[in-house]
Amino acid sequence: INDKLGAANILSNIGALYANTGDDAKSLEYSLQSLAIAEEFNDQVRIGTVLNNIGNTYQRNQNTYNLSVQNMKRALAIGEKIKNQGVIVTANANLGEFYLKLKKPDSALVFLKKGLEASKNAEDVTTIYILNNIGKGYDRIGNYDLAIVYQKKSIELATNLQANQDIGKSMVGLANSYLLTGDIDLALSTYQTSAILLLDSHTLAELILTYAVFKETYAKKGNFDQAFT
């Protein structure tokens, strides 16, 4: 039994590694094998953990959104049943991101706040991620002041953890909030800082997005020479 459960853990970790590299097919292949073993031995913690990973992978493809939400909600139900903080926090964080993607910020905020409450304000990367997404949710409903409060909390926690990549990502969110309030100067300075941090952490996708918004912001300010250099 221990050998099989150990294999389930290894398969889950391999699936997560493939997910991080963007190979969703391989990620699902290994994650589903892990899930089958975990279900065979009724390992509820492993089942919840793997369901979260599977749900997160499925949400990258619009054609599998239904599978994504099914797996994440099943993970959440298991987490709540066995009172496992990690499974509960991750499921709520994933569901929050999912509903932000669907442009349903009210639903997103419900799950994100549950995730934050379940985390008990733990000082970790998942809490940074949740705080940042709560800020995005408040942006979407037009409550920019509250969005800024949560973005700043996210940056503060990331700074305490010396997580430059997460500081950069959270600062992109803060800059977006400033832009929505009409404070273009503050938005520009925040975008500049985030770009430096993301470059240092080699986060190419976030850096490209930041650069695009940065150019758009310069254009709004009327500084077209800076915008298109």
Side-chain angles (χ1 to χ4, degrees):
I1 292 175
N2 287 336
D3 286 346
K4 275 203 166 185
L5 290 175
N9 185 45
I10 292 169
L11 288 165
S12 176
N13 289 337
I14 293 173
L17 286 171
Y18 274 117
N20 289 337
T21 64
D23 192 336
D24 292 347
K26 279 288 186 183
S27 175
L28 288 169
E29 177 186 338
Y30 284 97
S31 295
L32 289 169
Q33 289 180 60
S34 176
L35 179 62
I37 296 171
E39 288 179 328
E40 180 183 349
F41 293 98
N42 196 31
D43 184 344
Q44 294 291 295
V45 175
R46 175 60 51 197
I47 291 169
T49 300
V50 178
L51 285 171
N52 271 325
N53 292 342
I54 292 170
N56 202 35
T57 302
Y58 275 137
Q59 76 162 292
R60 296 178 184 177
N61 185 335
Q62 193 169 351
N63 294 327
T64 55
Y65 275 0
N66 60 325
L67 292 172
S68 174
V69 74
Q70 286 172 20
N71 280 276
M72 290 187 291
K73 285 189 173 180
R74 185 182 167 203
L76 180 58
I78 289 171
E80 290 176 340
K81 181 179 179 181
I82 64 175
K83 295 179 171 57
N84 184 281
Q85 181 187 18
V87 174
I88 294 170
V89 172
T90 302
N92 277 301
N94 288 346
L95 283 161
E97 181 184 14
F98 177 76
Y99 283 109
L100 280 177
K101 192 174 289 185
L102 290 184
K103 298 182 179 178
K104 295 182 176 181
D106 290 319
S107 296
L109 285 168
V110 169
F111 287 108
L112 291 167
K113 287 180 179 180
K114 284 182 179 178
L116 185 62
E117 182 180 357
S119 76
K120 298 177 181 176
N121 292 310
E123 294 199 351
D124 57 23
V125 172
T126 303
T127 306
I128 297 170
Y129 172 80
I130 291 173
L131 288 167
N132 191 18
N133 275 342
I134 290 175
K136 291 177 183 178
Y138 278 119
D139 270 344
R140 301 276 176 85
I141 63 174
N143 193 335
Y144 307 131
D145 290 340
L146 206 46
I148 289 168
V149 168
Y150 278 96
Q151 303 291 7
K152 286 183 174 180
K153 285 182 179 180
S154 179
I155 292 166
E156 181 182 3
L157 178 54
T159 302
N160 290 343
L161 296 176
Q162 297 181 326
N164 280 358
Q165 179 176 329
D166 292 295
I167 299 170
K169 288 180 178 181
S170 297
M171 290 195 80
V172 171
L174 179 61
N176 287 337
S177 297
Y178 285 141
L179 186 59
L180 289 167
T181 66
D183 194 335
I184 293 177
D185 288 330
L186 198 49
L188 284 172
S189 65
T190 309
Y191 280 130
Q192 285 178 315
T193 305
S194 68
I196 292 167
L197 288 165
L198 292 172
L199 184 63
D200 286 344
S201 60
H202 307 292
T203 314
L204 185 59
E206 290 284 344
L207 185 59
I208 291 170
L209 176 62
T210 304
Y211 179 68
V213 179
F214 195 44
K215 285 175 66 175
E216 180 186 348
T217 307
Y218 264 119
K220 284 183 178 179
K221 193 175 170 67
N223 194 335
F224 295 101
D225 290 336
Q226 286 272 19
F228 298 103
T229 56

